[in-house]
Each structure stands twice: as structure tokens, then as C-alpha cells.
Amino acid sequence: MEDTMARMQISSETSTWLLQAKAFLDEARRQKPGPERNELRETAKVLRELAKLEAASEQALERDWRQRT
């Protein structure tokens, strides 16, 4: 039961990478089309990719931990 609760808490937390990506996208929406806006959007894209990699890494670590116990 506690393990389930811990997993639910972790999955409901928003990644710092995703929060930063949202901030970059919000700023990009305020910009006029052009190089600065494109750079902000590309940065947000990289941050979202980092969030995906981080989530996959955490899941792999959790699976490995469960297999050891």
C-alpha cells in the first residue's frame, strides 16, 4: 500500500524540466515570429526531451530496485 502511494505521489509531481519548458513556451508566445521565438521553442523542445529521459531513467531504476528486493 505504501509503495503504491509513493508511486502515485511521484507520478503526480511535475518535472522541473517540464515546468521550465512551459515557461520557455509562454515566453515564445509573447514574441513576434523570428529567430528569438524559434530559439525559445527549440529550447522548450529539448527540455521536454530531457523530462522524458528523466522519467524513463527513474522508471528503470524503480524496476531494477523491485527486482533486487
Side-chain angles (χ1 to χ4, degrees), residues 27-41:
E27 181 61 29
R29 288 184 186 108
R30 291 186 201 105
Q31 300 286 323
K32 292 181 180 179
E36 286 183 33
R37 182 178 183 174
N38 292 341
E39 186 175 329
L40 290 167
R41 293 176 73 212

Side-chain angles (χ1 to χ4, degrees), residues 9-21:
Q9 182 179 1
I10 291 169
S11 65
S12 66
E13 293 175 1
T14 302
S15 167
T16 303
W17 300 116
L18 290 178
L19 292 173
Q20 289 179 337

Side-chain angles (χ1 to χ4, degrees), residues 1 3-4 27-29 36 39 52 54 57 59 61:
M1 178 79 171
D3 187 43
T4 303
E27 181 61 29
R29 288 184 186 108
E36 286 183 33
E39 186 175 329
K52 286 180 190 177
E54 180 182 56
S57 174
Q59 287 175 354
L61 286 173

